[in-house]
């Protein structure tokens, strides 16, 4: 087995981002040792997280959710020592981040809350942005590792603060893309080439990197995942969970979560979250406006105007359908049951371990998903 070295960096989670960060680290001259839940044909692929910890003092963790994060830390066992620095690059929310930090620190190791922003292209081009919560000295010691795959490192505050910022910024992205899909639908169904919306936004104050990237995908109907719908839905749930703990209502975010849940039930989980526009893409070409009807002749009585359409029905989700399965290497986001209050949500209950009469420690379970109370889309999930 290779020797432990200061140039060794461990990386756990070889999904869309993790695999590209591993390449960036290799390009920067690090010896990279990796592990993924599903074996990959990758250089220095090890048999377990424990082996990664045995060879590497600095370990980046790119996993899909809190349960996967705790599974990895538990699997390291006593191989996690005071010599280690764990970089939590997963988006798991502040509660799970603080719990993970406590577990790592109890073993004497150091922990940085280090979620990132940037999707597949940014990771490929080494242009991620890391948000950092934690000790300045710890950050200084791992800065070369983070710089290998990033264009900026933004210090936010203490452990848990970066996790909140990451969730808040993803809430903005989610609502932006849903609004963009709605604007696209209005333009398209008005008989206007949607390219006109692209041209209009070029000089508009709301233009952003998200609007440029996602509107292009909508027009091309290309939903290859750069940031999957299932992961954005998980992050939006985290935002609602944080808001509930602070007694804050999030009407726009909650409505977007409902629309996203509808997309999951339609099998869109592993596609890019720009796929929300598919709900409006029922034809292959822009609709053409019908010419206006000629005015009624004076002797003829004009037709009675049509009654206004009733508002959309809001239905409870009694039995949410399991969304499409996640890819093997990524943790699966578990949809949640409905409840009566549309604005509030609750964390799922902690499971209790079964024993043989003796007191037993319950297995670590972190499921930071929240219950989506109602369907806020254009129809009930199917």
């Amino acid at each position: 087995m290779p020797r432990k070295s200061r140039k060794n960096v461990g990386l756990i989670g070889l999904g869309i981002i993790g695999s590209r960060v591993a390449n960036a680290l290799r390009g920067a001259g690090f010896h990279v040792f990796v592990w993924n839940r599903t074996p990959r044909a990758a250089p220095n692929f090890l048999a377990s997280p424990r082996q990664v910890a045995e060879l590497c003092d600095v370990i980046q963790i790119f996993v899909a959710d809190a349960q996967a994060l705790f599974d990895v830390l538990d699997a390291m066992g006593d191989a996690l020592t005071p010599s280690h620095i764990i970089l939590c690059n997963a988006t798991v929310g502040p509660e799970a981040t603080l719990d993970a930090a406590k577990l790592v620190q109890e073993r004497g190791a150091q922990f940085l809350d280090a979620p990132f922003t940037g999707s597949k292209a940014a990771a490929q081009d080494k242009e991620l942005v890391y948000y950092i919560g934690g000790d300045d000295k710890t950050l200084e010691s791992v800065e070369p590792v983070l710089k290998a795959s990033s264009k900026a490192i933004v210090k936010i505050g203490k452990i848990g603060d970066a996790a909140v910022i990451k969730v808040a910024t993803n809430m903005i992205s989610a609502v932006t893309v849903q609004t963009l899909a709605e604007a696209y639908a209005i333009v398209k169904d008005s008989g206007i080439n949607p390219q006109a919306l692209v041209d209009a936004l070029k000089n508009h104050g709301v233009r952003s990197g998200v609007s440029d990237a996602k509107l292009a995908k909508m027009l091309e109907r290309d939903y290859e995942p750069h940031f999957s719908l299932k992961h954005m839905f998980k992050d939006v749930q985290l935002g609602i969970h944080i808001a509930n703990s602070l007694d804050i209502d999030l009407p726009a975010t909650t409505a977007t979560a409902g629309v996203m849940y509808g997309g999951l039930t339609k099998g869109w989980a592993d596609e890019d979250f720009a796929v929300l526009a598919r709900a409006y893409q029922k034809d292959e070409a822009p609709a053409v406006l019908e010419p206006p009807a000629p005015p009624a002749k004076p002797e003829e009585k004009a037709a009675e105007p049509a009654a206004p359409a009733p508002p959309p029905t809001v239905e409870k989700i009694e039995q949410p359908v399991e969304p499409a399965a996640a890819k093997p290497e990524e943790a699966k986001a578990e949809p949640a049951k409905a409840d009566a209050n549309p604005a509030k949500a609750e964390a799922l209950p902690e499971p209790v371990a079964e024993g043989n009469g003796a007191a037993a420690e319950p297995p670590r379970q972190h499921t930071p998903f929240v219950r989506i109370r109602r369907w806020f889309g254009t129809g009930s999930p199917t």
Side-chain angles (χ1 to χ4, degrees):
M1 180 176 286
R3 293 184 307 168
K4 199 168 189 178
S5 162
R6 294 182 64 184
K7 293 284 285 183
N8 289 3
V9 175
L11 190 143
I12 293 176
L14 294 175
I16 290 175
I17 303 301
S19 59
R20 288 163 175 80
V21 171
N23 289 336
L25 288 167
R26 293 184 190 103
F30 291 99
H31 307 145
V32 186
F33 296 86
V34 301
W35 180 83
N36 192 73
R37 180 174 299 178
T38 302
R40 296 286 191 92
N44 294 333
F45 191 97
L46 300 178
S48 68
R50 182 184 182 89
Q51 286 191 1
V52 175
E54 288 171 347
L55 282 174
C56 307
D57 284 340
V58 177
I59 303 173
Q60 290 193 261
I61 300 180
F62 292 90
V63 293
D65 59 28
Q67 188 61 58
L69 171 62
F70 278 91
D71 288 346
V72 165
L73 294 177
D74 288 341
M76 289 181 184
D78 58 10
L80 185 59
T81 69
S83 66
H84 286 92
I85 300 176
I86 299 298
L87 304 180
C88 180
N89 305 120
T91 303
V92 296
E95 291 180 12
T97 298
L98 289 168
D99 285 349
K102 181 180 178 182
L103 174 62
V104 169
Q105 291 163 351
E106 284 173 348
R107 299 180 189 177
Q110 300 172 74
F111 182 97
L112 272 188
D113 175 14
F116 63 91
T117 185
S119 57
K120 180 164 70 175
Q124 185 74 39
D125 297 336
K126 307 171 188 175
E127 292 186 345
L128 297 176
V129 176
Y130 289 102
Y131 302 136
I132 303 299
D135 179 72
D136 288 342
K137 187 176 180 181
T138 304
L139 172 59
E140 183 179 350
S141 66
V142 298
E143 202 165 15
V145 173
L146 294 172
K147 282 184 174 180
S149 58
S150 69
K151 65 178 180 181
I153 300 171
V154 182
K155 184 70 192 314
I156 301 298
K158 62 185 183 299
I159 292 174
D161 291 352
V164 173
I165 290 294
K166 169 60 177 175
V167 170
T169 56
N170 275 12
M171 286 166 50
I172 296 170
S173 294
V175 175
T176 296
V177 168
Q178 174 57 26
T179 305
L180 199 64
E182 295 171 9
Y184 157 85
I186 288 175
V187 170
K188 177 178 69 72
D189 286 3
S190 294
I192 303 170
N193 188 330
Q195 181 61 41
L197 181 58
V198 175
D199 296 338
L201 288 177
K202 286 179 180 177
N203 297 297
H204 198 289
V206 300
R207 183 186 181 187
S208 67
V210 169
S211 66
D212 284 353
K214 301 309 180 184
L215 184 55
K217 293 183 79 68
M218 292 174 188
L219 266 61
E220 295 166 7
R221 305 191 184 196
D222 169 19
Y223 301 123
E224 177 187 352
H226 289 241
F227 194 142
S228 70
L229 180 64
K230 69 187 177 194
H231 289 151
M232 183 56 83
F233 177 67
K234 178 261 295 181
D235 294 353
V236 167
Q237 286 182 303
L238 287 170
I240 296 172
H241 180 69
I242 295 169
N244 287 345
S245 70
L246 300 171
D247 198 25
I248 297 172
D249 290 334
L250 302 180
T253 303
T254 304
T256 300
V259 177
M260 287 183 165
Y261 181 79
L264 296 179
T265 67
K266 293 179 175 66
W268 304 346
D270 292 312
E271 298 186 83
D272 191 90
F273 75 107
V275 76
L276 294 175
R278 183 177 285 159
Y280 306 107
Q281 293 172 330
K282 299 176 182 177
D283 55 351
E284 290 301 323
V288 178
L289 291 176
E290 295 291 336
K297 296 180 181 180
E299 66 273 15
E300 295 178 352
K301 185 178 179 181
E304 291 291 332
T313 301
V314 177
E315 298 181 15
K316 292 182 180 178
I317 305 174
E318 297 298 340
Q319 295 289 338
V321 180
E322 183 83 2
K327 294 180 181 178
E329 68 272 16
E330 297 170 342
K332 185 175 180 182
E334 186 176 353
K337 291 174 66 180
D339 207 315
N341 184 346
K344 296 297 177 184
E346 300 172 357
L348 295 179
E350 299 283 345
V352 178
E354 295 181 359
N356 56 2
E361 182 180 354
R364 190 184 309 280
Q365 294 288 335
H366 261 265
T367 311
F369 301 130
V370 296
R371 305 180 190 277
I372 298 301
R373 305 302 197 176
R374 292 189 182 177
W375 170 251
F376 288 86
T378 55
S380 59
T382 57

